[in-house]
């Protein structure tokens, strides 16, 4: 199968420093590639460059048949909804003053796909898809738990009907007791929607458990890519969201 994302010889520079040094990897539809490595090795720089939120200094980023580094902002705009980030800090990415339902509706409005009659039903469907009670839509981020907030962040990403999620430490800020629930949700959504995941994490054990393949990064380079752990027992049942 053609990869959904095919990154070739990617280079990212911060000033004179090369923080991502000619790395290559790919992600197939429905696949999770884990990107793991110590703090400062270039994981987030890679994520930002894949998403074209920071333009790479070299290499190619093929996404869904388009080579993104050769496109200008205007050409990128129609492709952006299909590749969505989910960041570590769910409170920050939702916007502190917005009600959850407005934060989820915003991408629909920006894309021009908001409709006053069908929009609210779509937001309700997204809340339901991520396991959040409809009533939580009226709350603001600080009135939710970290796990609920990250679920809302995922709903917001799903509003764009993406093909790829770039998940940069999506559960690292969560209380350990809430992590399994969010990871199970991500696994379920992937299966249902055939999403590709680039899953960034510094926890090798977690990545081995959650991902199909694991790319290990050190000092800006991928030092090896391996299949994840042998099949493990079924994932534990989703924790009840709190
Ligand atoms: N905006 C920036 N300006 C200058 N240097 C930067 C910037 N962002 C990142 N760097 C440097 O690039 C290198 C890689 O950083 P990056 O954030 O990609 O690492 P990371 O693997 O995501 O680390 P962590 O696990 O701590 O999130 C680091 O040495 C960092 O100091
Ligand atoms: Mg990082």
């Amino acid at each position: 199968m053609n990869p959904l994302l095919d990154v070739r010889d990617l280079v990212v520079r911060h000033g004179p420093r090369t923080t991502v040094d000619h790395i290559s990897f790919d992600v197939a539809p429905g696949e999770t590639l884990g990107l793991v490595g110590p703090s400062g090795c270039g994981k987030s720089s890679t994520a930002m460059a894949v998403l074209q939120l920071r333009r790479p200094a070299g290499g190619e980023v093929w996404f869904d048949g388009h080579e993104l580094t050769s496109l200008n902002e205007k050409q990128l705009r129609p492709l952006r909804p299909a590749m969505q980030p989910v960041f570590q800090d769910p409170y920050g990415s939702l916007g502190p003053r917005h009600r959850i339902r407005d934060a989820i509706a915003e991408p629909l409005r920006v894309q021009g796909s908001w409709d006053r009659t069908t929009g609210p039903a779509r937001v309700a469907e997204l809340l339901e898809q991520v396991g959040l009670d409809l009533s939580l839509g009226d709350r603001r981020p600080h009135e939710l738990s970290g796990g609920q907030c990250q679920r809302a962040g995922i709903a917001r990403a799903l509003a764009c009907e993406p093909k790829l999620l770039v998940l940069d430490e999506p559960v690292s800020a969560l209380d350990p007791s809430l992590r399994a629930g969010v990871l199970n949700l991500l696994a379920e959504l992937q299966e249902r929607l055939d999403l590709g995941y680039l899953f960034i994490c510094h926890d090798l054990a977690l990545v081995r458990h959650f991902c199909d393949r694991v790319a290990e990064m050190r000092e800006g380079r991928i030092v090896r890519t391996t299949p994840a752990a042998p099949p493990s027992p079924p994932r534990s049942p989703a924790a009840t969201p709190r």
Side-chain angles (χ1 to χ4, degrees), residues 43-45 88 168-169 200:
K43 304 183 297 296
S44 296
S45 303
Q88 174 170 358
D168 192 350
E169 308 265 7
I200 293 173

Side-chain angles (χ1 to χ4, degrees), residues 146-200:
Q148 289 171 332
C149 235
Q150 194 55 293
R151 285 168 189 269
I154 293 166
R156 184 178 146 99
L158 293 181
C160 301
E161 298 183 37
K163 296 182 177 177
L164 176 76
L165 294 187
V166 176
L167 301 135
D168 192 350
E169 308 265 7
V171 298
S172 305
L174 301 183
D175 190 281
S177 65
L178 300 177
R179 283 183 196 160
V182 171
L183 291 173
N184 279 316
L185 170 68
L186 288 170
E188 252 171 54
L189 291 169
Q190 177 170 58
E191 199 159 301
R192 191 172 341 152
L193 304 170
D194 203 30
L195 299 167
Y197 289 166
L198 177 60
F199 185 88
I200 293 173

